[in-house]
Structure formats: C-alpha cells, structure tokens
Amino acid sequence: MPVWRGYDYMRVDESGSEVGLSNSESGAGELAGNDYFGIRMEKLRKLEELGVEPYAERYERSHSADEVVSGFERLEEQDVSVAGRIMSKRDSGKVVFAHIQDASGRLQVYARKDDLSETDFAVLKLADIGDFIGVAGKVFRTKMGEISIRAQSLVMLAKSLRSLPEKFHGLTDVDTRYRQRYLDLIMNPEVRQTFLTRSKVVRLIRRYLEEQGFVEVETPTLMGIPSGAAARPFVTHHNTLDMDMFLRIALELPLKRLIVGGFEKVFEIGRIFRNEGISIKHNPEFTMLEWYEAYTDYIQTMDRLEGLLAYVVREVCGSESLVYQGERIDFAGPWRRVTMIDVVREHTGLDFAVFEDDEAAREAVRQFVGKQSGEPEIKGDKSRWSLLNMVFEEYVEDKLVQPTFVIGHPVEISPLARRNVEQPELTNRFELFIFGREMANAFSELNNPLDQRARFEEQAAQRAQGDDEAHLMDEDFVQALEYGLPPTGGLGLGIDRLVMLLTDSPSIRDVILFPTMRP
C-alpha cells in the first residue's frame, strides 16, 4: 500500500506511477500567501458558469468506503456509487487521484479524463481538499495495490470555501479542537472513535438496565426549585409564568416522586447543569445516569453498579480491565468497600471515631494540615463531620485508583440519604472512586418525611448563613414522602467521567462534543 503525502502535488501517469513535482512545477509556490478563500470563491463561480450546482440536495450511494474495501472480492469490477469529503488530491493533467473520506473510512478515486464527461472532469479539476463529491464507477485494485474506484461519473455535492488544517501537523491546538469540533472530527479520526465509544457506552447502559426490568423515563430540565444535590444552579426566567426557574442540578427528586407514584424501577440518562468551575474533571453541563429501585438499599445498589460497570468495560474493552493514563485498572469484582472514617485514618492517621467533640477534631486537623502546607485555616464553626469530609476530599480521594466504594458519609453532607441505625450521625451512602475521581454517588433513600423536613430546614439555615450550594426547602417533595416512599436504593453515575476512563481521555472536554468555552 502506498503512503500518501497529504497535500503534496504529484504527477501521476495513466498506469498509476507517481512522479514528484517541484513547487514551481505544481504551482504551490505561486499560491503561497494568496487569499485561499478568494481562490475557492473563484472556483465556485467557475462551477456555476459550467452549469453545475455546487451544493447538491441529495446523492444516492450504493456503498460506504469501508463496504467497498472490505467487500472487494465480491465487488471487483462491479459498479458502485460512493460519496465523501476529498482529503487528498494528486493531479497530473489527464489523470487525477484523490482520497475521499466518509464516516466509515477512506477510499481512493482514480479518474481519467477519457472516462468522464467533459463537465465531470472539469468539476474534478476545480475540486479542492475539503470538497464533498459523489463518484460512480467500477471497483478495482491499482498496480500499487490500493482498492479504488475507477470514476465513470462525478458530481460536486458541497464546495468547501475554507482550507482544512495542514495535514502533516494535523489539528493539534487544544482550544481550536474544542471550539471547532467539526474540524477536530475531520482531521483526527481517533476523536470520532471516542464519540462512537461514548454512544456505545450509553446503549450498553440502557440495555443492561432494561434487561434488569428498569423503565427509562424523562423528567423536567426546568425546575421551580434546584434540588437533589449541593450545587449552584443556573437561573433563567419564564416570561409567560413571570417566574424565575432553574436548570436542573440533579435528576433525583422527580425520579423518587415516580417511585412514590408506583413505579418500582426507573432510570434517566440526562443533561445536568451546575453553575460551577471548569477543569479537566468538571464541565458546567454534563450527563448523568440516575436510577431508583424500590425495596432495595445501598448495598444492593452497590452490587448492581459493580455488575453494570464490569459489563460495560467488558463489552467496550474486551476484558474486565483497562489502562487509563498508564495505570491498569481492574473492574473484576468484588471491589473494595471501606468507610470514610477508616480510609481517612489509613491515609492521614486522623481517627474521627475517637474525637470527643468538634473542637478536638478541629485541633487535630489544624495540626495535620499545618504539617502538610504550613498554612492551616480551619474555621472555628466546622463540625468534626464536615472536617472528616474536608480531609477526605483534600488528602485521600486522589489516592483511590482502583474501584473503591467509600461508605458512611456524615448526615450533614447527605441531606437525602437514610441514617445509619447504629451510627445516627452517618448515613447509608456510598461514593465510587476510580483513579482518584468520584464516579458515582448512591444511598438508601431517606423515606421518613419528618426527618426529611428537618434536614431541609437545616439546609435552609445553612443557606441563610451564606452557603449558596445548600439545598432549598422543597415542600412538594416532602408532601410526596408523606404519601409514602417504599424502601428505595438510588444512584447517580457520571457518564462523561466513565467515558474518559474507557477512552483513555485525560480531560472531560475530550468526551463532550461541544464543551463550555469562554468566548
């Protein structure tokens, strides 16, 4: 197979032999510094003078590029029609070679002046890298060994007025790749594969849950109250109702209302919006899976999540392990399950189980933080349980590389989770961490309406003191609980971070087609 040289101009004889041209012979030197947009506009005008419509309405394809290549033994010397974007072109007077690219791959087009109408050959001569063309002809293999189409007719489908990025260096500027994702997809085939994998992951999740008896539902994106998480919402205004509304920060409370209403297994895969920071792990809008299952608890939810992710990894990667950023991660169960108190003690030496009161915890944390950074800043009103969570987030979670379920979160940071009977200050909740990142959050749902009202009131008090991420009082949800919520296990899983793992993508922007960017 020959190695094509991008946008180099080549002399090609009728047998397919290549002879390189100098810049002066090809005219490349003359084009340097010229207005390429203007040149392409002039070619557009010439196409119109030929009576050619440069922007077609449709084109009937018989095969994709991959179908032609993979089916060569069956299709050799058969008539086919294909279409795609020109990615390389080599012109030698009466013979033109080009590569066209469609969603399935690339295919070479071999065009001789004698085989095409005068208009069709003129169209090809005016064609540029980036143009979409349709080609009909016979399948054959060149003397160089490449499966190709011997063109018998050709049509312009869409004239490209802008030059694609230079082939040899590709589109590597990260900012441009994210802002102009269409160019990224054209120039970097591996990017397209990332998003094909993302689509597959979502299909696999749906398949797994539906086979387990779950029903997929849709709940509102616009909410009267931002609920279901501790997060700052986006605010908008409904003109007809003359009221402020919020883009949802979680799927949780509407889905639990459905469990109250008689559904027993529901899930939703939907977009979530949080008016917070941007980093390689955070995007203001992201995709979540949430499911709720009646008559289960957080332990059964843990088991189901372990099964789901092992299944997805196996289907995508071919085994129950993968390599992410050079680190092998094993998804074969059972995964480690450890309390937040124990894992903090393990990595920091701080034992929150033995502190007698909040002040004892604050002093111990001050000393620990002082040894780490030399600048301990521990507020005097922080409880030992909020300090436990702070130490875990700052000094422990990034060390949890292999899949790890962390359980036993404090009540005061878990307003929707059921209390642990033996330790009422803690909840029956878990978070899943992989490669130092939170992947999922779940708990035995709080179904006591009196306890729920008290926690909402506590959250409202925190909000009044300046915590703009504290949960608002949701009277309608409390009322729904007063009608009765059966024992329920619920979970939220970040789809974007899961796809990052499965595609070895270092940034969340690599797995979101159109990430949020500063103008």
Side-chain angles (χ1 to χ4, degrees):
M1 297 286 288
V3 177
W4 303 124
R5 305 193 217 167
Y7 302 147
D8 284 353
Y9 284 83
M10 307 293 294
R11 179 186 296 120
V12 184
D13 65 24
E14 297 192 11
S15 69
S17 300
E18 302 175 1
V19 180
L21 303 182
S22 67
N23 280 350
S24 60
E25 289 177 305
S26 67
E30 297 175 11
L31 290 176
N34 282 353
D35 177 7
Y36 280 91
F37 188 88
I39 292 170
R40 292 189 177 215
M41 285 294 294
E42 178 62 19
K43 289 183 178 181
L44 180 69
R45 184 187 64 78
K46 289 180 178 179
L47 287 171
E48 292 171 341
E49 288 177 353
L50 289 172
V52 172
E53 170 53 61
Y55 299 100
E57 183 175 4
R58 61 180 294 173
Y59 184 78
E60 293 290 342
R61 295 189 300 173
S62 65
H63 296 78
S64 68
D66 179 68
E67 287 171 341
V68 171
V69 173
S70 62
F72 175 73
E73 299 299 328
R74 175 176 50 85
L75 294 173
E76 186 174 12
E77 292 304 324
Q78 299 296 310
D79 290 317
V80 298
S81 58
V82 296
R85 185 190 295 274
I86 298 175
M87 298 303 292
S88 71
K89 179 186 174 187
R90 292 162 298 130
D91 190 337
S92 183
K94 294 183 179 181
V95 176
V96 176
F97 276 78
H99 278 93
I100 61 171
Q101 175 176 290
D102 64 14
S104 71
R106 291 193 182 189
L107 181 65
Q108 180 170 258
V109 174
Y110 170 74
R112 297 173 62 225
K113 182 176 182 180
D114 293 345
D115 294 336
L116 293 170
S117 71
E118 183 177 343
T119 298
D120 286 1
F121 195 70
V123 168
L124 182 57
K125 298 286 278 188
L126 289 169
D128 288 304
I129 306 297
D131 291 354
F132 280 92
I133 60 172
V135 180
K138 292 188 181 295
V139 179
F140 80 112
R141 192 189 295 271
T142 67
K143 291 182 179 180
M144 300 297 292
E146 183 161 6
I147 296 169
S148 308
I149 301 294
R150 184 183 291 109
Q152 296 173 328
S153 67
L154 184 143
V155 60
M156 178 67 68
L157 302 179
K159 180 67 183 170
S160 173
L161 299 180
R162 293 187 180 272
S163 300
L164 295 179
E166 194 274 319
K167 183 179 177 67
F168 293 112
H169 297 96
L171 182 62
T172 57
D173 179 74
V174 173
D175 190 72
T176 302
R177 287 182 54 226
Y178 296 152
R179 292 183 188 278
Q180 296 177 278
R181 182 68 85 183
Y182 45 90
L183 287 181
D184 193 21
L185 293 168
I186 293 169
M187 301 305 299
N188 299 317
E190 69 278 5
V191 173
R192 190 182 310 117
Q193 186 57 50
T194 292
F195 290 102
L196 291 175
T197 299
R198 181 186 176 111
S199 180
K200 181 178 182 179
V201 168
V202 172
R203 290 198 309 273
L204 290 170
I205 290 171
R206 284 195 167 103
R207 181 191 303 167
Y208 185 91
L209 291 176
E210 287 170 353
E211 289 177 353
Q212 300 291 321
F214 282 79
V215 176
E216 185 174 10
V217 297
E218 293 178 302
T219 61
T221 299
L222 287 175
M223 309 287 289
I225 295 176
S227 60
R232 184 182 297 114
F234 286 94
V235 184
T236 186
H237 188 80
H238 194 296
N239 290 334
T240 300
L241 298 178
D242 191 23
M243 62 179 287
D244 285 341
M245 300 192 77
F246 305 89
L247 298 183
R248 62 187 178 188
I249 58 174
L251 308 172
E252 181 169 347
L253 299 197
L255 291 176
K256 287 199 282 194
R257 286 176 171 93
L258 297 181
I259 301 295
V260 170
F263 283 90
E264 294 186 354
K265 293 182 178 182
V266 295
F267 77 95
E268 181 173 5
I269 299 173
R271 209 69 161 170
I272 301 299
F273 307 87
R274 297 183 182 177
N275 196 355
E276 299 172 343
I278 298 176
S279 72
I280 63 170
K281 296 188 292 184
H282 299 91
N283 193 66
E285 54 175 317
F286 57 97
T287 303
M288 285 280 287
L289 159 70
E290 290 199 31
W291 84 57
Y292 294 85
E293 181 176 5
Y295 311 113
T296 63
D297 64 6
Y298 79 117
I299 299 296
Q300 291 165 293
T301 303
M302 224 181 295
D303 294 339
R304 193 181 293 284
L305 177 60
E306 194 172 288
L308 167 65
L309 293 188
Y311 163 75
V312 171
V313 171
R314 189 168 56 247
E315 291 293 313
V316 172
C317 302
S319 70
E320 291 186 351
S321 70
L322 55 82
V323 175
Y324 181 72
Q325 301 298 287
E327 186 82 40
R328 180 161 292 280
I329 299 175
D330 186 7
F331 285 83
W335 302 345
R336 187 187 185 197
R337 303 181 182 192
V338 60
T339 68
M340 184 179 287
I341 289 175
D342 286 344
V343 78
V344 165
R345 184 194 309 115
E346 176 183 321
H347 289 281
T348 69
L350 293 169
D351 191 348
F352 282 82
V354 301
F355 294 139
E356 294 181 356
D357 53 32
D358 292 346
E359 183 52 43
R362 285 194 288 267
E363 181 57 31
V365 172
R366 280 193 193 97
Q367 293 182 21
F368 171 78
V369 173
K371 292 176 182 178
Q372 307 302 311
S373 64
E375 296 291 337
E377 293 184 6
I378 307 301
K379 291 184 178 179
D381 59 349
K382 276 191 175 292
S383 72
R384 65 168 170 161
W385 300 119
S386 64
L387 288 170
L388 168 66
N389 185 63
M390 184 206 78
V391 172
F392 172 76
E393 290 182 345
E394 293 293 327
Y395 300 102
V396 178
E397 68 176 47
D398 63 350
K399 299 176 176 63
L400 305 178
V401 176
Q402 297 301 319
T404 303
F405 290 117
V406 176
I407 62 178
H409 294 63
V411 168
E412 64 185 74
I413 63 165
S414 311
L416 299 165
R418 187 181 185 90
R419 290 178 188 268
N420 183 280
V421 174
E422 297 177 355
Q423 294 178 283
E425 303 94 342
L426 306 179
T427 59
N428 291 339
R429 172 185 175 187
F430 73 80
E431 289 180 297
L432 172 63
F433 288 87
I434 304 174
F435 200 76
R437 297 169 182 168
E438 179 195 343
M439 301 295 296
N441 181 31
F443 30 84
S444 297
E445 301 297 334
L446 176 59
N447 60 350
N448 181 333
L450 304 180
D451 191 355
Q452 182 65 84
R453 179 179 293 279
R455 293 204 217 171
F456 276 163
E457 289 172 348
E458 173 61 27
Q459 289 281 303
Q462 293 178 23
R463 192 175 187 86
Q465 294 172 7
D467 184 354
D468 57 3
E469 292 188 355
H471 209 290
L472 291 170
M473 171 61 75
D474 191 332
E475 286 286 355
D476 181 76
F477 180 67
V478 174
Q479 181 174 302
L481 293 185
E482 290 171 348
Y483 282 97
L485 172 71
T488 299
L491 172 136
L493 170 70
I495 298 296
D496 309 282
R497 290 186 181 178
L498 176 59
V499 177
M500 287 172 65
L501 279 175
L502 292 167
T503 59
D504 196 18
S505 299
S507 170
I508 196 170
R509 293 183 177 185
D510 294 327
V511 300
I512 296 175
L513 278 168
F514 301 103
T516 305
M517 302 287 287
R518 186 185 301 276

